[in-house]
């Protein structure tokens, strides 16, 4: 993540120092650029440090001040940006610079609110980045609107304390969690195991698993099964592969074995509401 933020700041340096002469920037009359981002905790300290570094060096030299006016979660940031883009009552003004997920950027693009940052780079400079990352920033066209400075992958976190107790009684194994189908079977066993602990109360078993992003789960699952979930700018719900993934998820969710939760799985792990 530190590497990702560094790339973001390099992007700012390139854009801002590259436009100094043509836009008449002057340290005597500095321009203030408002910025929103979604980095909290340790990441906030890192971002704050680099914003300060920029303001004290390149910013001071060129006449540019970065002013962070909003730090919030990705979900809250999406809501604020879309409200501002739609001109909803009480919505804040849009910032000059922001972090955003692609789904948010698409909305801003459709309203003509994104700048073409591709013109700040040469083909040689862009060639050092993974092509598929750059392609994502094109948002389905030929203009670079979004610079993918931070990427992530899917990982499975497991509460070993709870799992080991459950596995000892029910015979579950770590190997069972290598596939989504294995997770579903294990979730069914876990629900039974927790339900059995209160014989006087039926169907009060606990959930085992929560996926942070059903979109990511579906996209990855379709790719593993040899089809694309996203075709052009549309989601393809018509394939047998999608139906297989949907059936895999919704049945355990209805039975209470998978959590249905409007938030991050980490919130549920903190209280032991889920195991993975």
């Amino acid at each position: 993540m530190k590497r990702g933020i560094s790339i973001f700041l390099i992007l700012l340096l390139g854009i801002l120092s590259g436009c100094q002469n043509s836009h008449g920037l002057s340290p005597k009359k500095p321009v203030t650029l408002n910025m929103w981002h979604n980095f909290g905790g340790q990441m906030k300290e890192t971002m704050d440090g680099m914003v300060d570094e920029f303001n004290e060096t390149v910013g001071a030299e060129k006449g540019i001040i970065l002013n962070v006016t909003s730090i919030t979660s990705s979900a809250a940031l999406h809501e604020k940006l879309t409200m501002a883009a739609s001109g909803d009552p009480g919505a804040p003004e849009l910032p000059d610079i922001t972090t955003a997920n692609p789904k948010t950027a698409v909305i801003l693009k459709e309203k003509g609110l994104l700048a073409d940052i591709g013109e700040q780079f040469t083909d040689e400079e862009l060639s050092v980045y993974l092509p598929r990352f750059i392609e994502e920033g094109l948002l389905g066209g030929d203009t670079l609107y979004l610079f993918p400075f931070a990427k992530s992958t899917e990982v499975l976190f497991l509460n070993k304390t709870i799992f080991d107790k459950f596995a000892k009684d029910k015979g579950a194994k770590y190997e069972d969690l290598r596939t989504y189908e294995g997770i579903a079977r294990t979730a069914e066993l876990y629900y039974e195991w927790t339900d059995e602990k209160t014989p006087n109360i039926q169907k009060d078993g606990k959930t085992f698993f929560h996926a942070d992003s059903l979109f990511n789960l579906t996209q990855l699952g379709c790719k593993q099964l040899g089809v694309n979930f996203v075709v052009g700018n549309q989601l393809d719900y018509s394939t047998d592969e999608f139906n297989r993934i949907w059936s895999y998820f919704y049945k355990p969710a209805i039975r209470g074995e998978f959590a249905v939760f409007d938030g991050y799985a980490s919130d549920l792990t903190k209280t032991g509401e889920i195991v993975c």
Side-chain angles (χ1 to χ4, degrees):
M1 290 297 291
K2 287 185 178 180
R3 180 181 299 174
I5 291 180
S6 297
I7 292 172
F8 181 53
L9 264 291
I10 289 170
L11 169 63
L12 293 180
L13 293 175
I15 291 177
L16 299 178
S17 60
C19 69
Q20 59 162 327
N21 294 326
S22 61
H23 290 77
L25 294 175
S26 168
K28 295 181 180 179
K29 296 181 179 180
V31 173
T32 298
L33 299 179
N34 291 326
M35 176 179 167
W36 293 359
H37 68 77
N38 62 312
F39 296 110
Q42 267 186 314
M43 297 306 301
K44 178 182 180 300
E45 295 177 12
T46 303
M47 179 63 88
D48 286 347
M50 287 192 290
V51 168
D52 290 342
E53 181 182 354
F54 174 84
N55 286 337
E56 293 166 2
T57 55
V58 175
E61 178 187 348
K62 310 297 183 185
I64 306 160
I65 299 172
L66 288 181
N67 183 31
V68 178
T69 56
S70 179
I71 304 171
T72 187
S73 67
S74 296
L77 191 59
H78 169 79
E79 183 178 0
K80 287 180 64 174
L81 288 169
T82 52
M83 285 179 60
S86 300
D88 292 348
E93 290 187 14
L94 283 168
D96 301 294
I97 303 169
T98 185
T99 60
N101 289 323
K103 67 177 182 180
T104 310
V106 167
I107 295 172
L108 298 176
K109 171 201 167 187
E110 290 174 348
K111 293 182 177 293
L113 297 172
L114 291 186
D116 176 9
I117 60 175
E119 55 188 31
Q120 308 297 336
F121 296 90
T122 65
D123 291 341
E124 182 180 0
E125 287 170 335
L126 289 177
S127 69
V128 303
Y129 298 96
L130 291 175
R132 292 188 65 182
F133 287 4
I134 297 298
E135 288 169 13
E136 186 177 11
L138 299 176
L139 302 180
D142 299 321
T143 303
L144 185 61
Y145 291 110
L146 187 70
F147 199 87
F149 65 91
K151 307 294 281 184
S152 60
T153 189
E154 299 295 318
V155 294
L156 183 74
F157 286 90
L158 181 70
N159 185 319
K160 187 174 183 297
T161 302
I162 297 176
F163 185 82
D164 285 351
K165 292 178 182 177
F166 152 65
K168 183 179 179 181
D169 289 347
K170 283 290 188 178
K173 301 179 179 63
Y174 288 113
E175 291 75 15
D176 298 336
L177 307 179
R178 291 185 180 275
T179 65
Y180 284 126
E181 291 84 355
I183 291 173
R185 290 191 296 270
T186 306
E188 185 176 6
L189 281 176
Y190 182 74
Y191 185 91
E192 292 175 1
W193 181 67
T194 50
D195 187 32
E196 291 166 358
K197 292 185 176 297
T198 53
N200 295 329
I201 305 174
Q202 294 187 352
K203 299 189 179 301
D204 67 335
K206 290 188 175 182
T207 52
F208 181 78
F209 170 73
H210 176 60
D212 268 341
S213 170
L214 293 180
F215 175 82
N216 286 0
L217 186 152
T218 306
Q219 188 177 31
L220 290 170
C222 284
K223 180 64 70 173
Q224 289 176 343
L225 295 172
V227 299
N228 289 320
F229 181 47
V230 182
V231 180
N233 291 322
Q234 302 294 322
L235 303 182
D236 188 358
Y237 302 106
S238 65
T239 64
D240 292 338
E241 289 80 4
F242 170 80
N243 287 328
R244 175 179 170 183
I245 295 167
W246 174 244
S247 295
Y248 149 80
F249 177 81
Y250 90 85
K251 292 178 182 179
I254 289 174
R255 293 192 296 258
E257 297 155 7
F258 286 180
V260 177
F261 178 66
D262 186 18
Y264 291 114
S266 57
D267 295 337
L268 299 179
T269 61
K270 293 171 184 175
T271 57
E273 290 296 312
I274 60 172
V275 180
C276 66

